[in-house]
Amino acid sequence: MKTGIVFPGQGSQYVGMGAALIREYSVARETFAEADERLGFGLTKLCLEGPEDELRLTYYTQPALLTASIAFYRVLGQRVPLTPIVAAGHSLGEYSALVAAGALSFGDAVYLVHRRGQLMDEAVPAGQGAMAAVLGLDEEPLALVCKEVMDATGEIVELANLNCPGQIAISGTVAGVAQASDLAKQRGAKRAIPLTVSGPFHCSLMRPAAEAFGALLDETTIADAKIPVVANVDAKLNQDAAAIRDALKRQLYSPVRWTDDVLTMQRMGVERILELGPGTVLSGLIRKIDRGIPTAHVEDETTLAEVVELLSN
């Protein structure tokens, strides 16, 4: 069967993620130890013991999720032959996908996403940015809502995460997001839910972070990917190192087009998708985009055994 692999982004983390696989598999322990060494602090201890409010800090969350995701990917690969035809990830999960595809070394990726988190955190002073999930309004009318608010007020508010039909996150200034949320409900949205995030991600307010991060990317070795990786910014299949670098530079201030990413995999003929990382957020979104693509996930011994059996048949 043609298999795709996907990796989660911020919001999927929890204290204790990876604990069972770290106990049982040396490759998982080695992956976490490599992250600790590259970053120069105890990421493993933070993942296993918390505290939760510290794990939620962007510059810790991002390397923690990447490390857990790659540990799960490596454990699965040891247990059963894994031959995906495509990889993708949601926001920071795209870095996990690039590691799995051989375009980035794990050490470089974990360092990059730690710095990415720091730069994102520094880009907008605390309390000045916000995000909200808008439910029940499609892309075009919601984009128009954002434009109207910006034209009328000068506040920034833009589409940030196009997660699945009827679920789109908006991002911008506190006032811009609040006004767009109210107007979206007037235009037919069922709900607009403020998100607990540390900044206005994936909008133009992140351009200063993207400039600094772009310089880091230019210093980082990126290879041609062994399998295509679907880019968040435009849902294109990238294998060329230059295209990958360019997509990562734009990703910080561009919307995550997750719906289109999944449809790209669908057009490739993917017959199942494995989510490798904490939680099942992406599996849930995939079902809302295309119920015809079965999903499975790996995050502990039980789910690992299920996926090993699935791939062995």
Side-chain angles (χ1 to χ4, degrees), residues 69-101:
S69 297
I70 294 303
F72 301 167
Y73 167 75
R74 288 175 171 176
V75 168
L76 179 61
Q78 273 197 347
R79 289 290 309 276
V80 68
L82 187 58
T83 54
I85 66 165
V86 64
H90 191 287
S91 191
L92 85 94
E94 189 167 339
Y95 290 81
S96 304
L98 289 165
V99 173

PDB file of all heavy atoms in Angstrom, residues 69-101:
ATOM      1  N   SER A  69       8.769  13.025  17.964  1.00  0.00           N
ATOM      2  CA  SER A  69       8.293  12.515  16.673  1.00  0.00           C
ATOM      3  C   SER A  69       9.356  11.675  15.970  1.00  0.00           C
ATOM      4  O   SER A  69       9.057  10.600  15.436  1.00  0.00           O
ATOM      5  CB  SER A  69       7.864  13.678  15.777  1.00  0.00           C
ATOM      6  OG  SER A  69       6.768  14.382  16.332  1.00  0.00           O
ATOM      7  N   ILE A  70      10.603  12.159  15.972  1.00  0.00           N
ATOM      8  CA  ILE A  70      11.668  11.410  15.306  1.00  0.00           C
ATOM      9  C   ILE A  70      12.013  10.146  16.088  1.00  0.00           C
ATOM     10  O   ILE A  70      12.321   9.100  15.498  1.00  0.00           O
ATOM     11  CB  ILE A  70      12.909  12.303  15.083  1.00  0.00           C
ATOM     12  CG1 ILE A  70      12.578  13.427  14.085  1.00  0.00           C
ATOM     13  CG2 ILE A  70      14.088  11.477  14.581  1.00  0.00           C
ATOM     14  CD1 ILE A  70      12.061  12.940  12.725  1.00  0.00           C
ATOM     15  N   ALA A  71      11.920  10.196  17.411  1.00  0.00           N
ATOM     16  CA  ALA A  71      12.127   8.979  18.207  1.00  0.00           C
ATOM     17  C   ALA A  71      11.087   7.919  17.828  1.00  0.00           C
ATOM     18  O   ALA A  71      11.429   6.748  17.621  1.00  0.00           O
ATOM     19  CB  ALA A  71      12.040   9.305  19.696  1.00  0.00           C
ATOM     20  N   PHE A  72       9.825   8.331  17.703  1.00  0.00           N
ATOM     21  CA  PHE A  72       8.768   7.379  17.334  1.00  0.00           C
ATOM     22  C   PHE A  72       9.003   6.834  15.923  1.00  0.00           C
ATOM     23  O   PHE A  72       8.830   5.641  15.661  1.00  0.00           O
ATOM     24  CB  PHE A  72       7.392   8.041  17.405  1.00  0.00           C
ATOM     25  CG  PHE A  72       7.027   8.601  18.755  1.00  0.00           C
ATOM     26  CD1 PHE A  72       5.939   9.449  18.893  1.00  0.00           C
ATOM     27  CD2 PHE A  72       7.768   8.312  19.890  1.00  0.00           C
ATOM     28  CE1 PHE A  72       5.596   9.982  20.122  1.00  0.00           C
ATOM     29  CE2 PHE A  72       7.437   8.831  21.135  1.00  0.00           C
ATOM     30  CZ  PHE A  72       6.352   9.671  21.243  1.00  0.00           C
ATOM     31  N   TYR A  73       9.404   7.721  15.026  1.00  0.00           N
ATOM     32  CA  TYR A  73       9.696   7.310  13.640  1.00  0.00           C
ATOM     33  C   TYR A  73      10.830   6.297  13.601  1.00  0.00           C
ATOM     34  O   TYR A  73      10.756   5.280  12.900  1.00  0.00           O
ATOM     35  CB  TYR A  73      10.047   8.553  12.818  1.00  0.00           C
ATOM     36  CG  TYR A  73      10.657   8.277  11.474  1.00  0.00           C
ATOM     37  CD1 TYR A  73       9.879   7.819  10.413  1.00  0.00           C
ATOM     38  CD2 TYR A  73      12.024   8.471  11.249  1.00  0.00           C
ATOM     39  CE1 TYR A  73      10.445   7.566   9.167  1.00  0.00           C
ATOM     40  CE2 TYR A  73      12.590   8.222  10.025  1.00  0.00           C
ATOM     41  CZ  TYR A  73      11.795   7.763   8.981  1.00  0.00           C
ATOM     42  OH  TYR A  73      12.363   7.505   7.758  1.00  0.00           O
ATOM     43  N   ARG A  74      11.877   6.532  14.367  1.00  0.00           N
ATOM     44  CA  ARG A  74      13.031   5.626  14.364  1.00  0.00           C
ATOM     45  C   ARG A  74      12.687   4.284  15.005  1.00  0.00           C
ATOM     46  O   ARG A  74      13.131   3.227  14.527  1.00  0.00           O
ATOM     47  CB  ARG A  74      14.199   6.292  15.091  1.00  0.00           C
ATOM     48  CG  ARG A  74      14.834   7.430  14.293  1.00  0.00           C
ATOM     49  CD  ARG A  74      15.905   8.157  15.098  1.00  0.00           C
ATOM     50  NE  ARG A  74      16.654   9.098  14.279  1.00  0.00           N
ATOM     51  CZ  ARG A  74      17.591   9.920  14.742  1.00  0.00           C
ATOM     52  NH1 ARG A  74      17.892   9.921  16.043  1.00  0.00           N
ATOM     53  NH2 ARG A  74      18.233  10.748  13.932  1.00  0.00           N
ATOM     54  N   VAL A  75      11.904   4.309  16.065  1.00  0.00           N
ATOM     55  CA  VAL A  75      11.493   3.048  16.705  1.00  0.00           C
ATOM     56  C   VAL A  75      10.658   2.212  15.730  1.00  0.00           C
ATOM     57  O   VAL A  75      10.886   1.018  15.562  1.00  0.00           O
ATOM     58  CB  VAL A  75      10.695   3.324  17.995  1.00  0.00           C
ATOM     59  CG1 VAL A  75      10.023   2.056  18.493  1.00  0.00           C
ATOM     60  CG2 VAL A  75      11.610   3.889  19.084  1.00  0.00           C
ATOM     61  N   LEU A  76       9.712   2.845  15.071  1.00  0.00           N
ATOM     62  CA  LEU A  76       8.881   2.131  14.099  1.00  0.00           C
ATOM     63  C   LEU A  76       9.739   1.542  12.990  1.00  0.00           C
ATOM     64  O   LEU A  76       9.556   0.385  12.589  1.00  0.00           O
ATOM     65  CB  LEU A  76       7.820   3.065  13.512  1.00  0.00           C
ATOM     66  CG  LEU A  76       6.890   2.449  12.465  1.00  0.00           C
ATOM     67  CD1 LEU A  76       6.088   1.285  13.040  1.00  0.00           C
ATOM     68  CD2 LEU A  76       5.951   3.513  11.889  1.00  0.00           C
ATOM     69  N   GLY A  77      10.708   2.335  12.495  1.00  0.00           N
ATOM     70  CA  GLY A  77      11.586   1.856  11.428  1.00  0.00           C
ATOM     71  C   GLY A  77      12.439   0.673  11.830  1.00  0.00           C
ATOM     72  O   GLY A  77      12.829  -0.136  10.984  1.00  0.00           O
ATOM     73  N   GLN A  78      12.741   0.564  13.130  1.00  0.00           N
ATOM     74  CA  GLN A  78      13.497  -0.602  13.617  1.00  0.00           C
ATOM     75  C   GLN A  78      12.622  -1.844  13.676  1.00  0.00           C
ATOM     76  O   GLN A  78      13.107  -2.963  13.505  1.00  0.00           O
ATOM     77  CB  GLN A  78      14.060  -0.319  15.018  1.00  0.00           C
ATOM     78  CG  GLN A  78      15.397   0.377  15.027  1.00  0.00           C
ATOM     79  CD  GLN A  78      16.080   0.267  16.375  1.00  0.00           C
ATOM     80  OE1 GLN A  78      15.478  -0.111  17.382  1.00  0.00           O
ATOM     81  NE2 GLN A  78      17.369   0.579  16.408  1.00  0.00           N
ATOM     82  N   ARG A  79      11.340  -1.640  13.926  1.00  0.00           N
ATOM     83  CA  ARG A  79      10.435  -2.772  14.120  1.00  0.00           C
ATOM     84  C   ARG A  79       9.916  -3.368  12.811  1.00  0.00           C
ATOM     85  O   ARG A  79       9.618  -4.565  12.737  1.00  0.00           O
ATOM     86  CB  ARG A  79       9.236  -2.326  14.973  1.00  0.00           C
ATOM     87  CG  ARG A  79       9.552  -2.046  16.435  1.00  0.00           C
ATOM     88  CD  ARG A  79       9.867  -3.328  17.202  1.00  0.00           C
ATOM     89  NE  ARG A  79       8.851  -4.338  17.016  1.00  0.00           N
ATOM     90  CZ  ARG A  79       7.724  -4.407  17.730  1.00  0.00           C
ATOM     91  NH1 ARG A  79       7.493  -3.523  18.696  1.00  0.00           N
ATOM     92  NH2 ARG A  79       6.849  -5.365  17.492  1.00  0.00           N
ATOM     93  N   VAL A  80       9.789  -2.534  11.791  1.00  0.00           N
ATOM     94  CA  VAL A  80       9.167  -3.002  10.551  1.00  0.00           C
ATOM     95  C   VAL A  80       9.682  -2.137   9.398  1.00  0.00           C
ATOM     96  O   VAL A  80       9.945  -0.952   9.590  1.00  0.00           O
ATOM     97  CB  VAL A  80       7.618  -2.916  10.667  1.00  0.00           C
ATOM     98  CG1 VAL A  80       7.135  -1.480  10.732  1.00  0.00           C
ATOM     99  CG2 VAL A  80       6.916  -3.663   9.549  1.00  0.00           C
ATOM    100  N   PRO A  81       9.867  -2.703   8.201  1.00  0.00           N
ATOM    101  CA  PRO A  81      10.295  -1.885   7.063  1.00  0.00           C
ATOM    102  C   PRO A  81       9.293  -0.762   6.796  1.00  0.00           C
ATOM    103  O   PRO A  81       8.092  -1.010   6.709  1.00  0.00           O
ATOM    104  CB  PRO A  81      10.331  -2.884   5.903  1.00  0.00           C
ATOM    105  CG  PRO A  81      10.500  -4.213   6.548  1.00  0.00           C
ATOM    106  CD  PRO A  81       9.756  -4.138   7.854  1.00  0.00           C
ATOM    107  N   LEU A  82       9.802   0.445   6.696  1.00  0.00           N
ATOM    108  CA  LEU A  82       8.951   1.613   6.515  1.00  0.00           C
ATOM    109  C   LEU A  82       9.357   2.295   5.219  1.00  0.00           C
ATOM    110  O   LEU A  82      10.458   2.836   5.109  1.00  0.00           O
ATOM    111  CB  LEU A  82       9.116   2.560   7.710  1.00  0.00           C
ATOM    112  CG  LEU A  82       8.188   3.778   7.812  1.00  0.00           C
ATOM    113  CD1 LEU A  82       6.728   3.346   7.844  1.00  0.00           C
ATOM    114  CD2 LEU A  82       8.530   4.586   9.055  1.00  0.00           C
ATOM    115  N   THR A  83       8.485   2.261   4.231  1.00  0.00           N
ATOM    116  CA  THR A  83       8.825   2.809   2.915  1.00  0.00           C
ATOM    117  C   THR A  83       7.737   3.780   2.442  1.00  0.00           C
ATOM    118  O   THR A  83       7.002   3.498   1.493  1.00  0.00           O
ATOM    119  CB  THR A  83       8.999   1.684   1.878  1.00  0.00           C
ATOM    120  OG1 THR A  83       7.801   0.873   1.880  1.00  0.00           O
ATOM    121  CG2 THR A  83      10.198   0.825   2.208  1.00  0.00           C
ATOM    122  N   PRO A  84       7.621   4.935   3.099  1.00  0.00           N
ATOM    123  CA  PRO A  84       6.613   5.913   2.683  1.00  0.00           C
ATOM    124  C   PRO A  84       6.961   6.517   1.331  1.00  0.00           C
ATOM    125  O   PRO A  84       8.126   6.575   0.940  1.00  0.00           O
ATOM    126  CB  PRO A  84       6.687   6.971   3.785  1.00  0.00           C
ATOM    127  CG  PRO A  84       8.088   6.876   4.301  1.00  0.00           C
ATOM    128  CD  PRO A  84       8.456   5.418   4.212  1.00  0.00           C
ATOM    129  N   ILE A  85       5.929   6.980   0.621  1.00  0.00           N
ATOM    130  CA  ILE A  85       6.162   7.637  -0.666  1.00  0.00           C
ATOM    131  C   ILE A  85       6.159   9.149  -0.529  1.00  0.00           C
ATOM    132  O   ILE A  85       6.551   9.856  -1.452  1.00  0.00           O
ATOM    133  CB  ILE A  85       5.132   7.199  -1.733  1.00  0.00           C
ATOM    134  CG1 ILE A  85       3.717   7.668  -1.359  1.00  0.00           C
ATOM    135  CG2 ILE A  85       5.171   5.686  -1.946  1.00  0.00           C
ATOM    136  CD1 ILE A  85       2.734   7.595  -2.518  1.00  0.00           C
ATOM    137  N   VAL A  86       5.729   9.665   0.652  1.00  0.00           N
ATOM    138  CA  VAL A  86       5.647  11.102   0.850  1.00  0.00           C
ATOM    139  C   VAL A  86       5.623  11.384   2.348  1.00  0.00           C
ATOM    140  O   VAL A  86       5.194  10.542   3.144  1.00  0.00           O
ATOM    141  CB  VAL A  86       4.387  11.683   0.158  1.00  0.00           C
ATOM    142  CG1 VAL A  86       3.114  11.143   0.791  1.00  0.00           C
ATOM    143  CG2 VAL A  86       4.388  13.213   0.167  1.00  0.00           C
ATOM    144  N   ALA A  87       6.099  12.578   2.722  1.00  0.00           N
ATOM    145  CA  ALA A  87       6.062  13.007   4.124  1.00  0.00           C
ATOM    146  C   ALA A  87       5.526  14.428   4.198  1.00  0.00           C
ATOM    147  O   ALA A  87       5.661  15.213   3.258  1.00  0.00           O
ATOM    148  CB  ALA A  87       7.456  12.940   4.746  1.00  0.00           C
ATOM    149  N   ALA A  88       4.919  14.754   5.329  1.00  0.00           N
ATOM    150  CA  ALA A  88       4.419  16.105   5.556  1.00  0.00           C
ATOM    151  C   ALA A  88       4.356  16.348   7.059  1.00  0.00           C
ATOM    152  O   ALA A  88       4.361  15.408   7.848  1.00  0.00           O
ATOM    153  CB  ALA A  88       3.037  16.299   4.926  1.00  0.00           C
ATOM    154  N   GLY A  89       4.294  17.608   7.438  1.00  0.00           N
ATOM    155  CA  GLY A  89       4.157  17.950   8.845  1.00  0.00           C
ATOM    156  C   GLY A  89       3.446  19.275   8.980  1.00  0.00           C
ATOM    157  O   GLY A  89       3.483  20.115   8.080  1.00  0.00           O
ATOM    158  N   HIS A  90       2.777  19.464  10.120  1.00  0.00           N
ATOM    159  CA  HIS A  90       2.021  20.690  10.359  1.00  0.00           C
ATOM    160  C   HIS A  90       2.919  21.700  11.058  1.00  0.00           C
ATOM    161  O   HIS A  90       3.362  21.480  12.176  1.00  0.00           O
ATOM    162  CB  HIS A  90       0.799  20.376  11.223  1.00  0.00           C
ATOM    163  CG  HIS A  90      -0.189  21.500  11.313  1.00  0.00           C
ATOM    164  ND1 HIS A  90       0.042  22.635  12.051  1.00  0.00           N
ATOM    165  CD2 HIS A  90      -1.421  21.661  10.750  1.00  0.00           C
ATOM    166  CE1 HIS A  90      -0.995  23.447  11.944  1.00  0.00           C
ATOM    167  NE2 HIS A  90      -1.900  22.882  11.157  1.00  0.00           N
ATOM    168  N   SER A  91       3.220  22.805  10.367  1.00  0.00           N
ATOM    169  CA  SER A  91       4.069  23.866  10.906  1.00  0.00           C
ATOM    170  C   SER A  91       5.434  23.301  11.307  1.00  0.00           C
ATOM    171  O   SER A  91       6.176  22.834  10.451  1.00  0.00           O
ATOM    172  CB  SER A  91       3.369  24.567  12.068  1.00  0.00           C
ATOM    173  OG  SER A  91       4.067  25.742  12.437  1.00  0.00           O
ATOM    174  N   LEU A  92       5.790  23.296  12.603  1.00  0.00           N
ATOM    175  CA  LEU A  92       7.106  22.766  12.968  1.00  0.00           C
ATOM    176  C   LEU A  92       7.241  21.299  12.591  1.00  0.00           C
ATOM    177  O   LEU A  92       8.353  20.789  12.409  1.00  0.00           O
ATOM    178  CB  LEU A  92       7.389  22.972  14.456  1.00  0.00           C
ATOM    179  CG  LEU A  92       6.871  21.944  15.458  1.00  0.00           C
ATOM    180  CD1 LEU A  92       7.935  20.898  15.763  1.00  0.00           C
ATOM    181  CD2 LEU A  92       6.434  22.608  16.743  1.00  0.00           C
ATOM    182  N   GLY A  93       6.122  20.587  12.429  1.00  0.00           N
ATOM    183  CA  GLY A  93       6.153  19.187  12.012  1.00  0.00           C
ATOM    184  C   GLY A  93       6.786  18.990  10.654  1.00  0.00           C
ATOM    185  O   GLY A  93       7.246  17.891  10.318  1.00  0.00           O
ATOM    186  N   GLU A  94       6.829  20.066   9.846  1.00  0.00           N
ATOM    187  CA  GLU A  94       7.482  19.968   8.543  1.00  0.00           C
ATOM    188  C   GLU A  94       8.974  19.671   8.709  1.00  0.00           C
ATOM    189  O   GLU A  94       9.575  18.997   7.862  1.00  0.00           O
ATOM    190  CB  GLU A  94       7.272  21.261   7.753  1.00  0.00           C
ATOM    191  CG  GLU A  94       7.725  21.162   6.307  1.00  0.00           C
ATOM    192  CD  GLU A  94       7.244  22.327   5.444  1.00  0.00           C
ATOM    193  OE1 GLU A  94       6.257  23.003   5.814  1.00  0.00           O
ATOM    194  OE2 GLU A  94       7.876  22.559   4.395  1.00  0.00           O
ATOM    195  N   TYR A  95       9.557  20.131   9.813  1.00  0.00           N
ATOM    196  CA  TYR A  95      10.973  19.840  10.080  1.00  0.00           C
ATOM    197  C   TYR A  95      11.165  18.356  10.406  1.00  0.00           C
ATOM    198  O   TYR A  95      12.146  17.753   9.976  1.00  0.00           O
ATOM    199  CB  TYR A  95      11.494  20.730  11.215  1.00  0.00           C
ATOM    200  CG  TYR A  95      11.611  22.170  10.799  1.00  0.00           C
ATOM    201  CD1 TYR A  95      10.492  23.000  10.785  1.00  0.00           C
ATOM    202  CD2 TYR A  95      12.821  22.698  10.363  1.00  0.00           C
ATOM    203  CE1 TYR A  95      10.582  24.319  10.364  1.00  0.00           C
ATOM    204  CE2 TYR A  95      12.923  24.022   9.949  1.00  0.00           C
ATOM    205  CZ  TYR A  95      11.794  24.816   9.945  1.00  0.00           C
ATOM    206  OH  TYR A  95      11.884  26.116   9.513  1.00  0.00           O
ATOM    207  N   SER A  96      10.246  17.779  11.140  1.00  0.00           N
ATOM    208  CA  SER A  96      10.300  16.334  11.396  1.00  0.00           C
ATOM    209  C   SER A  96      10.207  15.565  10.087  1.00  0.00           C
ATOM    210  O   SER A  96      10.933  14.590   9.873  1.00  0.00           O
ATOM    211  CB  SER A  96       9.156  15.917  12.331  1.00  0.00           C
ATOM    212  OG  SER A  96       9.173  16.638  13.538  1.00  0.00           O
ATOM    213  N   ALA A  97       9.305  16.023   9.206  1.00  0.00           N
ATOM    214  CA  ALA A  97       9.148  15.365   7.905  1.00  0.00           C
ATOM    215  C   ALA A  97      10.442  15.441   7.101  1.00  0.00           C
ATOM    216  O   ALA A  97      10.835  14.470   6.435  1.00  0.00           O
ATOM    217  CB  ALA A  97       8.005  16.014   7.125  1.00  0.00           C
ATOM    218  N   LEU A  98      11.130  16.577   7.174  1.00  0.00           N
ATOM    219  CA  LEU A  98      12.386  16.745   6.423  1.00  0.00           C
ATOM    220  C   LEU A  98      13.504  15.878   6.986  1.00  0.00           C
ATOM    221  O   LEU A  98      14.357  15.393   6.242  1.00  0.00           O
ATOM    222  CB  LEU A  98      12.791  18.213   6.417  1.00  0.00           C
ATOM    223  CG  LEU A  98      11.894  19.118   5.558  1.00  0.00           C
ATOM    224  CD1 LEU A  98      12.127  20.587   5.878  1.00  0.00           C
ATOM    225  CD2 LEU A  98      12.119  18.849   4.069  1.00  0.00           C
ATOM    226  N   VAL A  99      13.502  15.662   8.307  1.00  0.00           N
ATOM    227  CA  VAL A  99      14.467  14.728   8.902  1.00  0.00           C
ATOM    228  C   VAL A  99      14.177  13.311   8.407  1.00  0.00           C
ATOM    229  O   VAL A  99      15.084  12.583   7.973  1.00  0.00           O
ATOM    230  CB  VAL A  99      14.421  14.785  10.443  1.00  0.00           C
ATOM    231  CG1 VAL A  99      15.307  13.697  11.047  1.00  0.00           C
ATOM    232  CG2 VAL A  99      14.871  16.153  10.939  1.00  0.00           C
ATOM    233  N   ALA A 100      12.914  12.914   8.450  1.00  0.00           N
ATOM    234  CA  ALA A 100      12.539  11.575   7.995  1.00  0.00           C
ATOM    235  C   ALA A 100      12.868  11.368   6.518  1.00  0.00           C
ATOM    236  O   ALA A 100      13.224  10.259   6.103  1.00  0.00           O
ATOM    237  CB  ALA A 100      11.046  11.348   8.235  1.00  0.00           C
ATOM    238  N   ALA A 101      12.788  12.443   5.734  1.00  0.00           N
ATOM    239  CA  ALA A 101      13.058  12.362   4.294  1.00  0.00           C
ATOM    240  C   ALA A 101      14.538  12.503   3.960  1.00  0.00           C
ATOM    241  O   ALA A 101      14.920  12.439   2.786  1.00  0.00           O
ATOM    242  CB  ALA A 101      12.258  13.433   3.557  1.00  0.00           C
TER     243      ALA A 101
END
